[in-house]
């Protein structure tokens, strides 16, 4: 087959709502026009554009300045952010089999792209040069904060490490992205597979009208109009656990809720959890931390796992 020419590719892009300007109120995404088939070509175009922008920043011969490096980096990836925001909004709130398949393909690809940016030696050296000269750049408070946060984010990603360690971190990030997507999709699959039909007033005892109405609507979506159903959607199961007078039914729903991803079969997450823990531990050690918790908390107000534990121990008794 012949490769598509520039004109044909341009025509396809012009027909893709993700790649066109949005002339909607507040420039909101035109969700009614967006279909799963639009995302792969949109991400292809967005990743290509961002890679080009990053290469231009990292490869500049001119001495690093706040404008040609930090500001340029902040302004890069606009199209990628635009496409990704729509995609992950849908996969979080209104997903389907087609979007999930794309997400499984896309997660490791985006992780590789992020790692390539954060571990780019040329790009980091420009940022580090500015960071070392930060007191002489006459930056305002906002600019100084942006420079410091940019530098720290690259360091925490592993940019200061040797080539071998950077390569391994990129591999870990890619695998973690794949595992995280599988974990979330397995939990969702178990949520969607379980439901509890309520039979008569005795099963509805204690439920206020709003919860009964929602249960009636859930039953309609499950093909049983005129009945009532509880699902593992948070908006369904939590009010049921809060208000139902039926202890036995609450127990059944609670056990289903806490067993998501732990039911055996292809949606079981236990092996995934173990592998994620192993990878996170290796990542933390590569970055110079004793544990993954220590790595995560080092860039927060708490700073250490011991501080978190102390706060929890203080709050727990009165709570």
């Amino acid at each position: 087959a012949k490769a598509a020419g520039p004109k044909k590719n341009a025509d396809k892009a012009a027909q893709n709502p993700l790649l066109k300007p949005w002339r909607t109120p507040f420039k909101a995404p035109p969700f009614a026009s967006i279909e799963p088939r639009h995302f792969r070509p949109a991400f292809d175009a967005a990743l290509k554009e961002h890679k080009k922008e990053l290469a231009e920043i990292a490869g500049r011969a001119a001495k690093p300045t706040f404008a040609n490096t930090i500001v340029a980096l902040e302004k890069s990836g606009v199209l990628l952010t635009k496409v990704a925001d729509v995609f992950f909004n849908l996969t979080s709130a209104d997903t389907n089999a087609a979007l999930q398949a794309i997400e499984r393909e896309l997660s490791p690809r985006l992780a590789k792209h992020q790692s390539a940016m954060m571990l780019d030696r040329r790009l980091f050296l420009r940022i580090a040069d500015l960071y070392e000269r930060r007191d002489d750049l006459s930056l305002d408070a906002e600019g100084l904060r942006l420079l410091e946060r940019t530098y720290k984010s690259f360091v925490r990603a592993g940019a200061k490490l040797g080539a071998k360690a950077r390569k391994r971190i990129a591999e870990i990030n890619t695998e973690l992205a794949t595992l995280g997507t599988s974990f979330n999709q397995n939990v969702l699959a178990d949520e969607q597979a379980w439901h509890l039909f309520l039979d008569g007033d005795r099963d509805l005892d204690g439920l206020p009208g709003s919860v009964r109405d929602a249960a009636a609507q859930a039953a309609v979506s499950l093909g049983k109009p005129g009945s009532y159903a509880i699902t593992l959607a948070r908006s369904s199961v939590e009010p049921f656990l809060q208000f139902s007078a039926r202890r036995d039914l609450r127990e059944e729903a609670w056990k289903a809720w806490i067993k998501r991803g732990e039911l055996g079969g292809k949606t079981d997450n236990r092996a995934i959890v173990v592998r994620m823990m192993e990878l996170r531990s290796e990542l933390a050690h590569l970055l110079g931390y004793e544990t993954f918790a220590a790595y995560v908390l080092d860039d927060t107000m708490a700073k250490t796992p011991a501080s978190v534990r102390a706060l929890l121990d203080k709050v727990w008794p009165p709570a």
Side-chain angles (χ1 to χ4, degrees):
K2 292 183 179 179
K7 185 178 184 303
K8 191 170 183 180
N9 287 334
D11 290 342
K12 284 186 176 180
Q15 297 168 9
N16 190 327
L18 291 165
L19 299 177
K20 295 193 296 185
W22 295 340
R23 309 194 187 285
T24 50
F26 308 106
K27 295 185 178 180
F31 286 109
S33 304
I34 296 171
E35 301 174 18
R37 64 185 176 88
H38 293 133
F39 282 106
R40 285 189 179 92
F43 272 109
D44 287 343
L47 284 166
K48 182 179 180 180
E49 180 179 292
H50 196 211
K51 287 176 183 177
K52 181 181 178 182
E53 292 167 341
L54 294 172
E56 288 176 353
I57 298 169
R60 281 181 177 141
K63 183 177 180 178
T65 67
F66 186 75
N68 72 18
T69 302
I70 303 301
V71 174
L73 188 60
E74 281 292 292
K75 291 184 174 181
S76 70
V78 171
L79 181 59
L80 181 58
T81 299
K82 175 183 175 181
V83 176
D85 282 353
V86 176
F87 180 74
F88 289 109
N89 182 289
L90 289 173
T91 57
S92 298
D94 190 27
T95 194
N96 55 47
L99 289 175
Q100 288 183 325
I102 296 169
E103 187 179 17
R104 289 191 293 272
E105 296 173 19
L106 194 63
S107 293
R109 188 178 174 192
L110 289 176
K112 286 180 181 179
H113 176 72
Q114 179 72 5
S115 292
M117 176 179 71
M118 302 302 289
L119 300 173
D120 186 315
R121 192 67 178 167
R122 294 184 306 163
L123 185 57
F124 175 65
L125 288 176
R126 294 183 68 86
I127 295 168
D129 176 76
L130 290 167
Y131 182 76
E132 292 299 322
R133 296 188 287 115
R134 62 191 181 279
D135 293 335
D136 302 321
L137 297 177
S138 300
L139 298 175
D140 60 16
E142 183 180 2
L144 182 60
R145 176 67 171 167
L146 176 59
L147 173 56
E148 290 173 344
R149 291 306 304 170
T150 302
Y151 174 79
K152 188 165 187 176
S153 67
F154 273 74
V155 171
R156 284 178 56 77
K160 290 180 72 172
L161 301 178
K164 183 178 179 181
R166 295 200 309 273
K167 181 176 182 292
R168 179 56 187 150
I169 285 175
E171 293 169 349
I172 291 173
N173 289 338
T174 300
E175 188 175 352
L176 281 173
T178 300
L179 292 170
T181 297
S182 297
F183 181 97
N184 291 333
Q185 291 190 358
N186 287 344
V187 171
L188 181 60
D190 283 356
E191 285 184 6
Q192 294 175 335
W194 185 92
H195 53 265
L196 172 68
F197 283 110
L198 304 177
D199 185 18
D201 289 340
R202 184 167 176 267
D203 286 359
L204 296 168
D205 189 19
L207 301 182
S210 59
V211 178
R212 294 188 182 206
D213 291 344
Q217 187 60 46
V220 170
S221 67
L222 290 168
K224 290 192 69 173
S227 183
Y228 298 88
I230 301 300
T231 72
L232 289 182
R234 188 177 293 273
S235 58
S236 176
V237 70
E238 283 196 348
F240 180 76
L241 292 173
Q242 180 179 357
F243 294 111
S244 174
R246 286 288 303 275
R247 182 183 179 91
D248 57 330
L249 297 182
R250 293 202 314 273
E251 180 181 6
E252 185 178 343
W254 171 249
K255 286 182 176 178
W257 174 254
I258 64 172
K259 292 283 284 185
R260 293 167 301 154
E262 197 182 349
L263 299 172
K266 63 181 182 180
T267 62
D268 196 287
N269 273 332
R270 282 171 287 191
I272 291 177
V273 169
V274 171
R275 181 57 180 160
M276 290 178 75
M277 291 174 65
E278 292 171 347
L279 290 170
R280 287 177 171 184
S281 178
E282 183 182 355
L283 177 65
H285 291 152
L286 284 168
L287 293 168
Y289 294 88
E290 184 178 354
T291 64
F292 186 73
Y295 162 66
V296 171
L297 290 167
D298 183 58
D299 198 32
T300 68
M301 186 183 296
K303 293 297 182 187
T304 66
S307 295
V308 174
R309 171 57 63 186
L311 176 62
L312 290 175
D313 287 344
K314 182 178 179 181
V315 170
W316 186 256

